[in-house]
Amino acid sequence: MGIELQNINKKFGEYKAIDNLSLSIPSGDLIALLGPSGCGKTTLLRIIAGLELADSGKIILENKDTTNLPPRKKNVGFVFQHYALFRRLNVFENVAFGLKVLPFKERPPRIEIRDRVEHLLKLVQMDWALNRYPSQLSGGQRQRVALARALAVNPRVLLLDEPFSALDAKVRQELRRWLRKLHDEIHVTSIFVTHDQEEALELADKIVVINKGRIEQEGTPQEVYDHPANAFVYNFLGNVNVFHGRIKNGKVSLGDHDLDAPDELKYIEEKPSQTFVRPHEIGISRIRSNENDLVGIIHEVRLQGGQIGLNIECEGLDNPIEAEVPRELFVNLQLAKGVQVFVTINRVRVFAGDYEI
Amino acid sequence: MSQPDTNNSKAPVVNKRISDPQSVQVLLIGLTYLFFIGFIFLPLGLVFTQAFQKGWSFYLESIREPYAIEAVKLTLLTVAIVVPINAVFGVSAAWAITKFNFKGKTALKSLLDLPFAVSPVIAGLIFVLLVGSRTPFGSWLGEHGIKIIFSTPGIIIATIFVTFPFIARELIPLMEAQGRDEEEAALTLGARGWQIFGKITLPNIRWGLLYGMILCGARSIGEFGAVSVVSGHIRGQTNTIPLHVEILYSEYNFTASFAVASLLVFLALLTVVIKNGMEKHFHKNSLHL
């Protein structure tokens, strides 16, 4: 196992930041800790790095119990949200720092340090900036230097705390793909923390969804996205329409309409329910194709890149539905604001009980 | 400062409308000058006129007189001891307050201003009451041959008290703005405490630290009230420059008094010049994050 966390607990005063959390990550994987802000994901990362002390629990990194080691001996590479480059040191000295502070006996000779730093800077495509200072670099460049600095000490594991969140959208996407490529080359077990589901889905081998200091679900991006374990995960991963209703006699109410309840909920007693529908799982047409279709009027049209977002007010529903259609369909059907359409709900997820988010 | 000027030349029309009427400008600038003349240029000029009233040779004689030289020596000795002590205290206090969370932190932060708020005379009296020869602790010290009040240690202690906020006050906002990220990064990279301090923290705060030390030194040179209470005014032994000036003045030896006072003025001007040079550097280097 690359990283093994056993029953980690952490309280800040009365507030439970991490609640008896256990997690195993195979060596060489790239894992996303995904959750809303304040869910404890950054705290967990800082506990692994030793920057924060867990109240109880065990941390095993690459088969070595590091729970009680001081942070400088944990040998963990940490990349900070705001880069945290040493502003008084140039790029070379920043990356060399971890090697130069080694005790004399372990410190590699000067030439070796030079070679290693140059190699790492080449790896992050920053070898042209050896003598620059952090203030002379852009955000994306700084974060790449920070990554090289963290890798310089041959860390057991690499931890990245919202590494791209301070960057603008385009750089963020570039750096994301580049990090994935880099990870495929160097294979160090890595965890990155993010609140951006898109980032997690695109980048990670496995996603761990965290809420209120507990794991809600872990799995590959595909698993987590297609088979959310509960309402929280469903809601957190991507845009979604939520309908609050009741399950009764094998039917789920959706406003004034009834849908067949999924099999596992068919025979339960009456309960409040939440029904989730993703915007792209909604079909739009100008002719009624099915007696269950909802009738609605397009209330708002939004351009979203290749897709068109529609806000549709349907008869019998309290809240408007968000739908997404390809641009081509939008043009072919001659859709526009105020047009009447028929709405087919292709796929729903129903969760029984009120889930607090 | 140069920004409004460039705006002015590029967009005069807009600027005319939003700037104050001419009369207000003239009035405010006039008032500022009047204030400076009345409270700075005039007094400074007077110090020098008085100092040189009896000619250049009398001036030199006044500042070369043994008691004056002893006073200068004592003042410089005080500064040389007080500034390093307060630098160590200031850095550790600022470090503790900005990098750790502990009980009473907010209270300590506000109490840091106490020496500024309390009258220096009271600061002096506190130490007389604490270690004066009439107190148990003071008499115990006396029996062991340690004299604090009416001697150099007392002067140094009183000066430390009066000047200790300068450096910490300078460093706390700076260190707060810089945060703990760099130290934490160094920690995860395997650095030890002293390596982090020497390689990361100290370089990051060095201009703020120097700036605080200059202010602390300037105040140490000029401190009168607290030192006056604990010194005992023994000529040639416990007289600092400000005390010597006062003694000469009260003996109606005005010209000599102003001559020595002019030394203080020179030191003050020197401080301002260094401070200004430093401020430029400080803003260029320390504040970009």
Side-chain angles (χ1 to χ4, degrees):
Chain A
M1 276 296 148
I3 299 172
E4 208 168 332
L5 307 177
Q6 297 171 1
N7 308 94
I8 306 281
N9 278 292
K10 173 76 182 175
K11 268 186 175 181
F12 291 115
E14 280 306 297
Y15 174 70
K16 260 191 188 167
I18 303 290
D19 188 0
N20 203 28
L21 187 147
S22 299
L23 179 63
S24 298
I25 297 168
S27 267
D29 265 12
L30 177 59
I31 298 294
L33 288 186
L34 177 64
S37 51
C39 72
K41 55 196 192 306
T42 293
T43 305
L44 187 63
L45 207 66
R46 291 173 60 85
I47 287 175
I48 300 173
L51 295 173
E52 215 76 71
L53 215 59
D55 299 335
S56 63
K58 218 170 174 187
I59 302 154
I60 297 159
L61 303 181
E62 297 295 343
N63 302 320
K64 185 173 162 70
D65 185 347
T66 65
T67 315
N68 295 316
L69 287 182
R72 66 181 175 83
K73 287 194 176 157
K74 293 206 185 216
N75 198 8
V76 157
F78 203 99
V79 175
F80 293 79
Q81 185 175 3
H82 297 288
Y83 332 118
L85 290 181
F86 306 132
R87 76 195 80 188
R88 299 271 164 214
L89 303 179
N90 64 21
V91 166
F92 178 88
E93 292 296 333
N94 260 283
V95 179
F97 186 89
L99 299 170
K100 288 195 170 174
V101 296
L102 283 171
F104 184 72
K105 279 186 205 154
E106 299 164 39
R107 194 184 315 155
R110 260 185 128 75
I111 303 168
E112 222 169 278
I113 293 183
R114 178 139 219 118
D115 284 352
R116 179 149 178 76
V117 171
E118 278 172 0
H119 167 75
L120 280 164
L121 283 172
K122 214 166 267 168
L123 194 69
V124 299
Q125 298 155 10
M126 288 297 296
D127 47 327
W128 52 273
L130 279 183
N131 297 313
R132 300 282 181 100
Y133 282 84
S135 58
Q136 297 168 307
L137 303 176
S138 72
Q141 293 166 342
R142 285 185 212 186
Q143 200 54 301
R144 281 189 284 176
V145 173
L147 191 61
R149 180 179 69 177
L151 290 173
V153 292
N154 271 328
R156 280 194 193 100
V157 299
L158 185 61
L159 308 173
L160 305 105
D161 184 12
E162 309 225 10
F164 311 127
S165 66
L167 303 169
D168 56 69
K170 187 143 170 38
V171 180
R172 195 183 318 166
Q173 202 155 47
E174 257 174 49
L175 218 54
R176 212 190 267 171
R177 296 200 175 132
W178 170 85
L179 176 69
R180 181 66 243 188
K181 236 179 77 200
L182 182 76
H183 184 264
D184 292 341
E185 281 171 39
I186 57 174
H187 281 303
V188 54
T189 313
S190 311
I191 301 183
F192 74 98
V193 155
T194 179
H195 60 261
D196 179 350
Q197 33 96 13
E198 222 178 279
E199 193 170 290
L201 290 170
E202 183 177 331
L203 200 50
D205 294 318
K206 210 168 125 188
I207 293 178
V208 178
V209 183
I210 295 189
N211 184 33
K212 294 180 180 164
R214 285 193 315 263
I215 294 178
E216 297 283 356
Q217 188 177 8
E218 47 184 304
T220 64
Q222 199 77 43
E223 280 165 14
V224 176
Y225 190 79
D226 289 343
H227 306 287
N230 55 43
F232 173 82
V233 177
Y234 202 101
N235 206 348
F236 196 72
L237 284 174
N239 295 326
V240 70
N241 291 293
V242 188
F243 305 97
H244 298 270
R246 297 194 79 76
I247 302 182
K248 197 177 166 184
N249 302 331
K251 293 274 185 188
V252 181
S253 63
L254 199 72
D256 297 345
H257 309 272
D258 280 338
L259 299 175
D260 284 329
D263 291 344
E264 72 273 16
L265 299 175
K266 270 232 151 92
Y267 303 107
I268 63 167
E269 55 187 291
E270 187 177 342
K271 256 190 181 171
S273 70
Q274 284 186 82
T275 306
F276 292 83
V277 182
R278 299 242 186 251
H280 62 85
E281 291 169 344
I282 289 174
I284 302 290
S285 64
R286 296 293 292 264
I287 2 167
R288 182 180 282 256
S289 54
N290 185 320
E291 59 172 305
N292 288 333
D293 281 358
L294 307 174
V295 186
I297 305 280
I298 296 178
H299 184 63
E300 204 182 287
V301 176
R302 280 187 318 270
L303 188 63
Q304 302 170 339
Q307 299 273 318
I308 305 284
L310 300 174
N311 183 288
I312 306 168
E313 284 192 9
C314 293
E315 281 172 23
L317 292 184
D318 297 338
N319 297 315
I321 286 184
E322 290 290 336
E324 262 173 37
V325 295
R327 184 183 279 241
E328 207 182 64
L329 185 74
F330 180 80
V331 174
N332 287 344
L333 293 181
Q334 296 181 310
L335 299 178
K337 196 175 164 179
V339 169
Q340 191 194 51
V341 290
F342 295 95
V343 175
T344 316
I345 293 176
N346 294 324
R347 192 161 181 266
V348 297
R349 267 306 297 258
V350 181
F351 295 98
D354 253 328
Y355 194 90
E356 195 193 329
I357 292 162
Chain B
M1 281 293 144
S2 61
Q3 212 127 24
D5 291 343
T6 49
N7 279 346
N8 210 358
S9 61
K10 274 179 194 162
V13 185
V14 178
N15 221 326
K16 217 176 200 173
R17 275 177 51 206
I18 58 163
S19 71
D20 296 318
Q22 193 95 36
S23 55
V24 176
Q25 275 192 34
V26 169
L27 186 71
L28 286 179
I29 294 172
L31 268 178
T32 311
Y33 264 106
L34 207 65
F35 194 86
F36 264 77
I37 289 168
F39 285 91
I40 294 184
F41 300 140
L42 205 63
L44 276 187
L46 274 179
V47 169
F48 286 105
T49 351
Q50 287 284 338
F52 289 104
Q53 206 179 32
K54 293 185 184 165
W56 182 245
S57 57
F58 186 84
Y59 177 83
L60 278 183
E61 206 176 291
S62 310
I63 59 173
R64 270 206 214 131
E65 175 230 353
Y67 287 150
I69 288 178
E70 284 305 314
V72 171
K73 274 189 188 162
L74 181 58
T75 298
L76 293 181
L77 175 74
T78 307
V79 173
I81 294 174
V82 166
V83 172
I85 288 179
N86 273 342
V88 171
F89 166 78
V91 171
S92 27
W95 180 287
I97 285 174
T98 55
K99 314 255 163 177
F100 304 130
N101 289 317
F102 56 91
K103 265 195 181 145
K105 178 168 143 168
T106 328
L108 277 191
K109 220 169 133 185
S110 0
L111 279 179
L112 204 54
D113 285 335
L114 195 69
F116 286 166
V118 93
S119 157
V121 176
I122 296 177
L125 281 176
I126 292 170
F127 287 107
V128 173
L129 290 177
L130 203 66
V131 290
S133 54
R134 292 197 195 161
T135 65
F137 184 54
S139 57
W140 181 83
L141 284 175
E143 280 163 25
H144 291 76
I146 302 167
K147 210 174 163 214
I148 290 180
I149 300 303
F150 304 143
S151 73
T152 313
I155 292 170
I156 289 167
I157 290 171
T159 311
I160 287 175
F161 176 81
V162 174
T163 59
F164 83 65
F166 279 104
I167 292 168
R169 274 260 146 247
E170 202 57 51
L171 292 181
I172 287 171
L174 182 64
M175 287 168 95
E176 262 170 1
Q178 292 180 342
R180 311 181 200 187
D181 272 14
E182 285 185 45
E183 277 85 4
E184 286 186 344
L187 193 65
T188 60
L189 289 168
R192 287 147 201 279
W194 55 268
Q195 286 174 318
I196 297 176
F197 181 74
K199 285 173 186 269
I200 306 300
T201 310
L202 200 56
N204 278 351
I205 62 168
R206 65 182 165 191
W207 288 108
L209 178 61
L210 270 174
Y211 186 72
M213 282 167 75
I214 294 272
L215 290 178
C216 174
R219 183 65 199 265
S220 307
I221 294 169
E223 178 50 32
F224 178 82
V227 170
S228 170
V229 175
V230 296
S231 110
H233 305 263
I234 308 165
R235 279 193 189 202
Q237 280 181 36
T238 62
N239 250 1
T240 60
I241 304 179
L243 297 182
H244 190 61
V245 170
E246 204 256 343
I247 289 179
L248 290 173
Y249 188 82
S250 58
E251 288 171 347
Y252 302 104
N253 200 347
F254 296 133
T255 312
S257 158
F258 278 107
V260 179
S262 73
L263 288 181
L264 284 177
V265 174
F266 280 130
L267 287 173
L269 290 175
L270 188 70
T271 311
V272 171
V273 170
I274 297 176
K275 192 189 98 164
N276 263 6
M278 215 115 109
E279 244 166 11
K280 274 183 204 154
H281 217 104
F282 186 52
H283 284 291
K284 230 172 38 209
N285 281 281
S286 254
L287 294 180
H288 66 75
L289 296 173

